[in-house]
Amino acid sequence: MTTLPSRAGTKGMPRAARERQVLTAATEEFGRHGYEATTVAAIAARVGVTKPLLHHYFGSKQDLYLACLNPVGDRLLDAIRTGMADQGSGAPPTPLRVLHALFTALDGQREAWFVLYDATLPADSDAAGRAAYYRGAIDELAAIGTAGLLHGAGSGDPLDADALKYAWRGLCTALVRWWVNHPDQSPEAMAQRCARLFAAGRAALAAGDESM
């Protein structure tokens, strides 16, 4: 088989640009369909290159997945840390800052969230291990945030914090899934929508307390 030069591209496109194009398409395919249902052939067809070329650039399907996952995981972790940083007086509450940071990080590649939270990854594979690493790091940050939130509300029960951590992960996933289906919604619009929903939830709970 002919070996391509290390910096060769296709159809006049530099290799680095072609690789970025492949990673963009692959991230969307993995996020939309999951690892198991995604094929290298489908990604190659989307980009307009051959399957052997993708294998030459990235290796196996798992290697291609990891090439998509690592920047996604790093970007989401950075976004959450930024959202959790102390913003001083007058800033939105931490949950809203984190959500706004996540929406901003995912804008233009919303399906990337589901690359990280993919239930179809082969068990005990490098792909599953790396995804678990990122999910664990995000859960650690969520645990810090939920414990602080409950402490401020007067609750020190660690099981409350653990339950809220799982609920938070589910909420983020549900909001991103809704956002994928509403492509006209900007990160700012989503953050504002979340603020309205949280305010409505607080009002409903307060009204419930008053009626008891």
Side-chain angles (χ1 to χ4, degrees):
M1 184 174 68
T2 301
T3 301
L4 296 174
S6 61
R7 285 179 286 184
T10 57
K11 298 181 180 177
M13 180 180 289
R15 174 167 176 167
R18 181 64 79 188
E19 287 181 348
R20 288 193 296 270
Q21 188 181 41
V22 170
L23 289 175
T24 297
T27 298
E28 186 172 329
E29 289 291 314
F30 285 128
R32 283 184 176 181
H33 307 297
Y35 180 89
E36 184 176 351
T38 297
T39 65
V40 174
I43 296 168
R46 277 196 57 175
V47 179
V49 298
T50 65
K51 181 178 173 181
L53 182 71
L54 258 64
H55 284 303
H56 175 75
Y57 280 4
F58 294 99
S60 67
K61 173 180 167 180
Q62 183 172 200
D63 292 330
L64 178 56
Y65 167 84
L66 288 169
C68 296
L69 172 68
N70 287 323
V72 167
D74 290 341
R75 189 163 74 245
L76 292 177
L77 279 174
D78 287 345
I80 294 170
R81 292 184 181 117
T82 298
M84 291 179 67
D86 185 7
Q87 301 293 317
S89 61
T94 300
L96 289 176
R97 296 201 311 270
V98 170
L99 284 171
H100 184 259
L102 283 175
F103 294 140
T104 300
L106 291 168
D107 195 29
Q109 203 175 44
R110 301 176 186 186
E111 291 86 359
W113 177 267
F114 302 103
V115 174
L116 183 59
Y117 292 94
D118 187 343
T120 72
L121 293 170
D124 300 322
S125 65
D126 290 343
R130 190 61 177 168
Y133 161 77
Y134 281 116
R135 291 195 300 266
I138 289 174
D139 279 350
E140 287 179 7
L141 293 173
I144 294 170
T146 52
L149 185 67
L150 289 172
H151 180 75
S155 173
D157 189 333
L159 289 180
D160 282 355
D162 191 56
L164 184 56
K165 178 188 72 177
Y166 278 88
W168 175 255
R169 182 199 298 167
L171 174 64
C172 290
T173 298
L175 287 169
V176 173
R177 193 176 301 280
W178 186 89
W179 192 33
V180 167
N181 294 325
H182 295 80
D184 60 314
Q185 297 294 296
S186 68
E188 290 72 23
M190 285 297 296
Q192 292 168 9
R193 188 176 307 281
C194 290
R196 294 194 298 272
L197 293 175
F198 286 3
R202 285 195 299 270
L205 289 173
D209 287 342
E210 292 172 358
S211 65
M212 294 179 65

